[in-house]
Amino acid sequence: MQSTAAMSSTPPNPDWIAAGRSHLWRPYCQMLTASPALPMVATRGSRLRLADGRELIDGVASWWTACHGYNHPRIRDAVRAQLDAMPHVMFGGLTHEPAARLAGRLAELLPGDLDRVFFSDSGSVAVEVAMKMAIQFFGNGGERGRDRILAFRGGYHGDTLATMAVCDPEEGMHARFRGVLAEQPIAALPRDGADTDALDALLAREGHRIAAILVEPLVQGAGGMLFHDAAVLQRLRERADRHGCLLIFDEVFTGFGRTGALFACEAARVLPDIVTLSKALTGGTMALAATVATTRVFERFLSDDPGHALMHGPTFMANPLACAAANASLDLFAAEPRLAQAAAVGETMRAGLAPLAEQPGVREVRVRGAIGVLEFERLDDLDAIKARFVEAGVFVRPFGRIVYLTPALTIPSDELQTLLAAVREVCGSIARKPAARSTADQG
Ligand SMILES: *Cc1c(COP(=O)(O)O)cnc(C)c1O
């Protein structure tokens, strides 16, 4: 076991655990019935160290953010150096090297003329900014009435009120807010002829009202880890052009190597007008997001009319610590074979999960890039399944009817094998023995 000694040691059951149970409100969690959260004291590589001294191999990489593993020294040193110089400064009227460098590097790495970077602090806000950019793009051009965002079933774009309205309306976590949300057109992804015809019919009716088509390219993540191919994105690009609307790729999940390419738009060879990034942008260390627009989109905001400016500015936008972390993360992508590692993780997962494809109750096993997915007919008692993973020495978070793995791209092969063995053991027995109770705990 690597570098355990370097992790700080904490006595078992410190009193903060009780304080947390009394006062923390946890995410995606029915707090009346949920099992307590696992108390964490340290992370390293692909390992989580619990307060009682146990270590778990992390199959999720903290919602797939920690692409280089935890506590990478290069990112840690960069953040430390920035901490001494300037932890934060507002971005209104001020600028700084970490943000300027990062913007230039993102523009350089992204395809085409996706060259203008607006920073924010979460994926949801990055998507909201993209939606505002698209709507105002038409308003600034004098075109009235283009204020809808067309999105897709199976999609997930965030938890805020505007982004909930563009998530999957049925499978998503937001159905209970339906009456409150903006009504956005939601279509099936045009995977086949029938769905393409349905999309074309919708666009024929409503195309003139649509400011942008919004999609997670190649992989719809938190909505169910669903895959589609580049042809779907080409169809969307064609439709956006035909109906005069913009195309937004939400790469908050897919960006930074998760699908095997640095960006999914690059792998698909389809160029969006706006792209959103977050999650792995800082290698999973700090909150940071970016909305990146093409020159054509940006230029529509240049005007003598002050009302044509983009009126958005999160307090902590372009936080220097987060930008320093992101620059260090990009250094790692440049210096180390991350994409080859992502491919190798994918190959190992494909082999390791294949035996489960034949299990009764398993609907599909699918792998793309460093994303492994087991989809069941149904999954009951997710809390009990999570507990069994912990007993097996791994951290895995099933939701809906899927068990997924998005480990660090750097996970050592012995740890990945241990993770896969635990998944085979736990999932093999779930498939054989369906339980009755279901819980509301998700994510
Ligand atoms: C996680 C995610 C978001 C939301 O990001 P937050 O930082 O949680 O607000 C948006 N879009 C996609 C594709 C995501 O995976």
Side-chain angles (χ1 to χ4, degrees):
M1 177 176 314
Q2 132 204 347
S3 321
T4 328
M7 291 192 187
S8 71
S9 69
T10 307
N13 295 320
D15 59 5
W16 61 262
I17 294 176
R21 285 191 189 159
S22 306
H23 298 292
L24 289 174
W25 197 330
R26 294 160 52 198
Y28 305 125
C29 175
Q30 176 39 261
M31 295 201 55
L32 184 65
T33 52
S35 319
L38 299 172
M40 287 284 308
V41 291
T43 52
R44 185 165 303 270
S46 289
R47 286 173 176 268
L48 305 174
R49 170 117 166 244
L50 306 186
D52 63 9
R54 277 180 298 167
E55 278 197 15
L56 304 179
I57 296 171
D58 187 356
V60 180
S62 285
W63 281 320
W64 47 93
T65 60
C67 52
H68 314 289
Y70 294 109
N71 304 31
H72 197 288
R74 183 137 185 176
I75 298 180
R76 207 174 48 204
D77 293 348
V79 173
R80 249 183 213 150
Q82 186 59 44
L83 187 60
D84 287 338
M86 182 173 64
H88 184 67
V89 67
M90 66 188 276
F91 214 57
L94 304 175
T95 187
H96 48 77
E97 179 178 353
R101 273 201 199 294
L102 180 59
R105 294 175 79 178
L106 291 174
E108 183 69 34
L109 290 168
L110 283 161
D113 64 344
L114 286 160
D115 279 349
R116 193 59 68 156
V117 181
F118 187 94
F119 287 115
S120 58
D121 37 27
S122 77
S124 301
V125 172
V127 172
E128 294 221 7
V129 169
M131 292 166 72
K132 282 175 71 171
M133 276 179 188
I135 292 166
Q136 195 177 341
F137 174 87
F138 292 102
N140 284 358
E143 199 174 335
R144 308 253 157 260
R146 281 211 190 247
D147 56 6
R148 303 285 96 182
I149 306 293
L150 170 64
F152 295 95
R153 296 197 178 282
Y156 175 80
H157 300 286
D159 292 347
T160 56
L161 282 165
T163 58
M164 281 199 286
V166 287
C167 291
D168 185 298
E170 309 296 333
E171 296 264 276
M173 301 174 257
H174 309 314
R176 70 204 64 181
F177 287 99
R178 196 169 294 157
V180 181
L181 301 180
E183 275 196 32
Q184 303 287 13
I186 307 287
L189 276 174
R191 286 187 168 86
D192 58 21
D195 288 337
T196 306
D197 291 346
L199 177 66
D200 283 335
L202 189 158
L203 285 166
R205 270 193 328 269
E206 297 188 44
H208 62 287
R209 297 188 56 206
I210 291 171
I213 298 176
L214 167 65
V215 68
E216 296 161 88
L218 298 183
V219 179
Q220 293 177 301
M225 306 284 172
L226 302 161
F227 303 164
H228 57 267
D229 56 32
V232 168
L233 301 172
Q234 277 152 12
R235 279 175 211 130
L236 296 181
R237 180 70 269 178
E238 277 165 31
R239 267 67 186 176
D241 292 342
R242 192 183 305 161
H243 293 272
C245 54
L246 300 179
L247 180 62
I248 304 171
F249 280 180
D250 179 358
E251 294 230 30
V252 169
F253 177 92
T254 53
F256 305 103
R258 186 51 65 185
T259 69
L262 195 56
F263 301 108
C265 60
E266 190 187 26
R269 297 175 170 279
V270 177
L271 192 64
D273 301 292
I274 302 176
V275 64
T276 56
L277 303 169
S278 186
K279 293 243 162 69
L281 172 57
T282 62
T285 54
M286 308 280 300
L288 184 67
T291 306
V292 187
T294 59
T295 303
R296 177 174 80 107
V297 170
F298 174 69
E299 285 180 347
R300 191 65 71 84
F301 290 73
L302 305 180
S303 160
D304 293 337
D305 181 346
H308 285 191
L310 179 65
M311 298 308 279
H312 204 100
T315 305
F316 285 99
M317 85 179 276
N319 171 256
L321 295 171
C323 290
N327 278 313
S329 176
L330 293 183
D331 291 343
L332 289 170
F333 275 102
E336 298 184 4
R338 262 323 156 264
L339 302 183
Q341 288 170 311
V345 166
E347 282 315 306
T348 306
M349 291 201 290
R350 205 183 301 279
L353 297 176
L356 289 163
E358 305 308 318
Q359 288 277 343
V362 174
R363 185 181 282 185
E364 190 181 42
V365 175
R366 53 181 182 267
V367 174
R368 176 168 292 177
I371 307 159
V373 184
L374 291 169
E375 183 172 328
F376 290 80
E377 299 296 340
R378 48 184 264 227
L379 271 185
D380 296 302
D381 204 350
L382 295 177
D383 255 8
I385 298 169
K386 288 172 196 166
R388 296 218 29 219
F389 280 122
V390 172
E391 282 162 30
V394 302
F395 185 68
V396 176
R397 299 269 300 167
F399 68 91
R401 50 169 195 267
I402 69 165
V403 171
Y404 72 93
L405 298 176
T406 52
L409 307 180
T410 53
I411 185 171
S413 64
D414 59 327
E415 295 186 359
L416 183 54
Q417 293 297 354
T418 306
L419 179 63
L420 289 165
V423 169
R424 286 193 299 270
E425 180 198 318
V426 173
C427 292
S429 71
I430 302 170
R432 281 191 296 275
K433 181 171 62 67
R437 192 169 70 90
S438 89
T439 71
D441 196 3
Q442 290 177 305

